[in-house]
Amino acid sequence: MNKRHLYAALLLFLVACHRPVRQTTESTTTQNYFPGKGDAWERRKPEQVGMDASLLEAAVAFARTAETKQMPRDFSTQEEIFGKLLGPIPNDRATTNGIVLRHGYIVAEWGDTQRADPTYSVAKSVLSTILGITIDRGMVRDIHDPVANYIRDGGYDSAHNRKITWEHHARQTSEWEGELWGKKHDFVGKEAFGRGERKPRTLQEPGTFYEYNDVRINRLALSLLRIWRKPLPQVVKAEIMDPIGASDTWQYVTYPNAVAEVDGKPMPSVSGGTRWGGGLWINARDEARFGYLYLRNGRWGNRQIVSADWVRQAVAPGPVKSDYGYLWWLNTDRKAWPSAPASSYAAIGAGSNTIWIDPEHDIVIVWRWHDGSPDELIKRVLTAVKE
């Protein structure tokens, strides 16, 4: 080989060695599993998905013993805890129940996971998803836009309320001032708010102060109703529940007095929880589907239901409260679930109702009507993960 040919061969070798590494995408990796509708959901033995069967069994045995003490099965303390009801409440509920997914497959399940019960503030994370879809569609141009730019029903007319953005609502920093469906923003008064009543305080600038406040989330729901111009239960069904193959047993129950006129027609407005009755009544299996949608960055099968960008934003810490995203609870400082990765997050409602999502281990845990210490179950489940 002469020098010219030797040089050419050496050059080709160097180019090959420095060729950029091929980026791995979802299309070039093993396809993720997505369950079919209803009960068409595949199970895997723990060892098939890199988990220790005996340790996972021990985790489930623990979960079965940790029934909630906050909420009696007959909901008899509902008004004592939360104040005067505005909507219906069931006569009873299921006992503690739950499900564990690994790589989308069911690896553990206990209790009545097909009983559709109120899920309280887990509904807020569903509303967050509707807000994300609203922005994805361009119906709201930017989450930082003032709500008053879109909604002109009197709710954002004051100088204070005109400053409120969609993001402020999603981070529970809106400081919205007003009354809605018979409840005031200030949570003052034992009859109206039960043990959740608060002392009067001075309102802060929107976006500067966090307060968990269902009146304000109900206001967000009403504003979304006016954007979509149809009842949100229909939107939730068409845009989320049907695409992820949820059962037909869930329902989004409204307050009888929560009715707004839209395009000259009376339409029911939903709530952000079951604090005053109503709310999202759903079973654990359907909640697991919703959690799995987020684990897969808003995609279900070949359909992007809510954008991956929205999922990233929704579970990113806010400037005022680092463990709260867009109506999702975060583990940023690992105080919520010390045994879990900082990247994990959850939809949480009273009771306790929990949809916990762990992207690092590709796990979803739904645990309902438990004693309020989800880290004890999370710790046990993660101990069972071997690969």
Side-chain angles (χ1 to χ4, degrees):
M1 182 181 290
N2 60 35
K3 289 183 178 181
R4 182 182 296 176
H5 290 158
L6 180 63
Y7 176 78
L10 179 61
L11 182 62
L12 287 172
F13 174 77
L14 291 172
V15 168
C17 288
H18 289 86
R19 185 176 294 141
V21 176
R22 184 185 182 193
Q23 295 297 312
T24 300
T25 65
E26 190 168 298
S27 62
T28 62
T29 58
T30 303
Q31 283 292 104
N32 290 315
Y33 165 74
F34 291 91
K37 180 177 172 56
D39 290 331
W41 202 329
E42 293 184 27
R43 295 175 177 270
R44 288 287 185 271
K45 294 179 179 179
E47 54 269 22
Q48 291 177 295
V49 292
M51 301 182 76
D52 183 287
S54 61
L55 290 175
L56 185 59
E57 185 179 350
V60 171
F62 163 78
R64 290 180 182 276
T65 67
E67 175 82 20
T68 181
K69 300 177 181 63
Q70 180 193 25
M71 202 73 62
R73 288 192 63 187
D74 62 0
F75 296 97
S76 57
T77 60
Q78 182 78 16
E79 290 197 320
E80 175 190 335
I81 296 171
F82 299 113
K84 185 174 177 60
L85 287 170
L86 296 175
I89 203 81
N91 293 325
D92 64 359
R93 59 164 176 81
T95 56
T96 189
N97 62 88
I99 187 168
V100 178
L101 307 182
R102 184 99 201 271
H103 307 323
Y105 300 102
I106 297 174
V107 292
E109 192 170 16
W110 63 97
D112 188 353
T113 58
Q114 300 196 53
R115 168 76 173 263
D117 280 340
T119 196
Y120 290 82
S121 289
V122 167
K124 291 178 174 62
S125 301
V126 175
L127 284 178
S128 170
T129 307
I130 292 299
L131 176 59
I133 295 170
T134 306
I135 293 170
D136 288 344
R137 300 276 178 87
M139 300 162 76
V140 167
R141 289 180 295 277
D142 194 297
I143 196 169
H144 301 102
D145 284 348
V147 184
N149 290 1
Y150 301 81
I151 307 300
R152 298 175 177 85
D153 60 4
Y156 299 90
D157 285 355
S158 71
H160 177 83
N161 287 351
R162 276 201 302 270
K163 302 173 187 176
I164 296 168
T165 68
W166 295 97
E167 183 181 39
H168 295 155
H169 270 314
R171 293 206 184 279
Q172 300 232 48
T173 60
S174 75
E175 288 286 87
W176 183 83
E177 180 180 23
E179 183 174 333
L180 189 65
W181 318 134
K183 302 282 185 180
K184 288 190 66 178
H185 73 275
D186 58 12
F187 271 60
V188 173
K190 192 171 186 62
E191 181 180 357
F193 299 103
R195 295 206 301 258
E197 68 171 331
R198 297 165 187 166
K199 295 180 180 179
R201 65 171 178 84
T202 302
L203 283 173
Q204 305 298 306
E205 280 291 296
T208 67
F209 184 83
Y210 169 88
E211 182 178 78
Y212 199 86
N213 189 304
D214 277 54
V215 174
R216 291 170 178 147
I217 298 302
N218 291 354
R219 177 62 253 196
L220 168 62
L222 174 57
S223 298
L224 287 171
L225 166 64
R226 295 198 183 283
I227 292 288
W228 282 85
R229 300 167 73 174
K230 57 184 174 183
L232 289 192
Q234 294 179 20
V235 178
V236 171
K237 175 177 169 58
E239 303 295 336
I240 301 174
M241 295 302 180
D242 284 354
I244 66 175
S247 74
D248 298 322
T249 64
W250 71 272
Q251 53 181 324
Y252 213 144
V253 182
T254 60
Y255 311 144
N257 70 326
V259 179
E261 186 173 298
V262 179
D263 296 336
K265 302 174 184 177
M267 293 188 185
S269 186
V270 300
S271 65
T274 310
R275 181 180 290 265
W276 302 305
L280 183 62
W281 300 8
I282 188 171
N283 70 41
R285 280 186 158 225
D286 288 343
E287 290 194 322
R289 287 174 179 271
F290 179 65
Y292 189 54
L293 171 67
Y294 268 76
L295 185 67
R296 292 289 168 255
N297 295 310
R299 177 174 288 275
W300 195 273
N302 295 323
R303 178 172 175 179
Q304 192 73 42
I305 292 173
V306 63
S307 68
D309 282 344
W310 175 262
V311 173
R312 283 191 290 271
Q313 294 171 41
V315 299
V320 176
K321 187 171 175 60
S322 63
D323 63 347
Y324 204 69
Y326 291 163
L327 304 179
W328 285 91
W329 289 97
L330 314 181
N331 199 34
T332 312
D333 51 13
R334 299 190 67 180
K335 289 182 180 178
W337 315 293
S339 305
S343 60
S344 61
Y345 57 95
I348 299 176
S352 297
N353 285 271
T354 307
I355 305 173
W356 181 77
I357 299 156
D358 179 1
E360 185 172 319
H361 296 98
D362 209 42
I363 285 175
V364 173
I365 299 176
V366 175
W367 193 17
R368 308 194 67 184
W369 309 120
H370 63 85
D371 67 357
S373 300
D375 190 63
E376 289 300 316
L377 175 61
I378 290 167
K379 176 172 60 178
R380 288 164 168 81
V381 171
L382 293 185
T383 299
V385 175
K386 298 305 176 186
E387 58 182 53

